[in-house]
Amino acid sequence: MTLTETLDPVQVPEARKGYWAGVAGRLARDPVSMLCLAVVAALILAAIFAPWLGLADPYKGSMIARLKPIGTPGHILGTDEQGRDMLARLIHGGRLTLFIGLMPVVFAFFIGSTLGVVAGYVGGRLNTVIMRVVDVFFAFPSVLLAIAISGALGAGIVNSLVSLTIVFVPPITRVAEAVTSGVRSLDYIDAARATGASALTVIRVHVIGNVLSPIFVYATSLTSVCMILAAGLSFLGIGVRPPEPEWGLMLNTLRSAIYVDPWLSALPGVMIFVTSLCLNLLSDGVRSAMNVRD
């Protein structure tokens, strides 16, 4: 009888799986994470295929159809203060909200990971320079820093992306520097140096693969915060410009109708809440699935 035959048949396939296959399997067994993943995937797909869903024109209004309540024939979720279909604006608004809420984290992940890994591996004066610059940004709360940068750059989608990317680069850089500093003194890194491998080769082959997981897990936890900040900038008038449909901007424009139809006015806020909650719970599920020791 071979060793494979003596093992539990359920455990053998698990042992042969790769790391990411194991992460996917553990994530699939988490019902909360899968529900949140389904909600986020549905929102992303609806946002991507919004022009082909047969919805009303999100920019076309009608003064005689202003503030129609939820359930109005032809307008399932009613109309806004300019008579524009709320369902169409919410779905099209998800395109901008999700894009501005997710892309800064992606940009910050690559920029912050690069700076943190270089600072953590090289050390010395380069580490001091990079981390002291990062500490300067940490002197300001993220909300105030995003507002200050957006206010200086002006309203607009590109400026919002730039300001939010700048906000999230420092925390990702600190995490990347911390995990890299813990890895660079390990034996296999010393062995790679002893073979004559260059610093770039050691980082690319030996360091990145071992520090990428904790950095990625931390970055996923920032997605919900980034989306709320993006909506907040638009709500304050320093993010997306009217008449673009964006959830934060829609909250701002519907403030005047809160006493006329509070349920209608709350719809963009509900979308922000549900999406950010699902992103937060999904990031927790990914963090647990990637924690092999647990």
Side-chain angles (χ1 to χ4, degrees):
M1 181 178 294
T2 63
L3 177 61
T4 303
E5 293 173 344
T6 61
L7 294 175
D8 188 346
V10 177
Q11 295 177 351
V12 173
E14 290 290 335
R16 292 176 179 173
K17 287 182 178 180
Y19 172 73
W20 290 108
V23 170
R26 288 188 291 272
L27 189 64
R29 291 191 292 270
D30 186 353
V32 176
S33 297
M34 295 309 297
L35 176 62
C36 293
L37 179 61
V39 172
V40 173
L43 290 172
I44 293 175
L45 290 175
I48 293 174
F49 296 104
W52 298 278
L53 295 180
L55 302 171
D57 188 347
Y59 300 98
K60 184 178 180 180
S62 174
M63 294 306 294
I64 61 174
R66 295 175 64 249
L67 296 176
K68 293 293 184 180
I70 298 175
T72 300
H75 302 286
I76 299 177
L77 296 181
T79 58
D80 65 2
E81 76 287 350
Q82 296 186 22
R84 297 170 295 193
D85 186 73
M86 281 294 294
L87 177 61
R89 288 187 64 79
L90 285 173
I91 293 179
H92 280 81
R95 308 180 83 183
L96 279 176
T97 304
L98 292 172
F99 179 77
I100 302 177
L102 297 179
M103 291 311 297
V105 177
V106 175
F107 296 148
F109 172 76
F110 288 105
I111 298 172
S113 297
T114 302
L115 293 175
V117 169
V118 170
Y121 181 80
V122 176
R125 293 184 178 178
L126 182 60
N127 180 291
T128 301
V129 171
I130 293 177
M131 299 314 297
R132 294 300 77 78
V133 173
V134 167
D135 290 340
V136 171
F137 286 95
F138 267 104
F140 304 93
S142 58
V143 177
L144 295 180
L145 183 60
I147 293 174
I149 297 174
S150 294
L153 296 177
I157 297 175
V158 175
N159 292 339
S160 296
L161 291 173
V162 172
S163 63
L164 291 173
T165 300
I166 294 174
V167 168
F168 289 108
V169 165
I172 294 178
T173 302
R174 292 194 71 174
V175 171
E177 189 272 339
V179 295
T180 304
S181 297
V183 166
R184 69 173 181 178
S185 59
L186 297 180
D187 293 339
Y188 68 90
I189 300 294
D190 294 334
R193 291 198 197 99
T195 62
S198 64
L200 182 60
T201 301
V202 174
I203 292 175
R204 179 174 56 85
V205 177
H206 300 285
V207 175
I208 292 180
N210 290 279
V211 303
L212 201 58
S213 293
I215 302 172
F216 176 77
V217 170
Y218 178 73
T220 58
S221 67
L222 298 176
T223 53
S224 60
V225 179
C226 185
M227 199 197 72
I228 294 174
L229 283 179
L233 293 178
S234 298
F235 180 82
L236 294 174
I238 52 178
V240 178
R241 294 190 182 99
E244 295 292 339
E246 198 274 339
W247 294 343
L249 183 61
M250 291 170 66
L251 269 180
N252 187 8
T253 57
L254 286 169
R255 285 185 304 165
S256 58
I258 193 170
Y259 297 107
V260 179
D261 194 339
W263 295 108
L264 182 68
S265 304
L267 285 177
V270 171
M271 295 297 295
I272 295 172
F273 172 76
V274 171
T275 307
S276 61
L277 179 64
C278 289
L279 288 172
N280 197 21
L281 292 175
L282 181 60
S283 67
D284 289 341
V286 172
R287 184 186 301 111
S288 299
M290 295 181 71
N291 193 345
V292 180
R293 289 176 296 180
D294 293 341

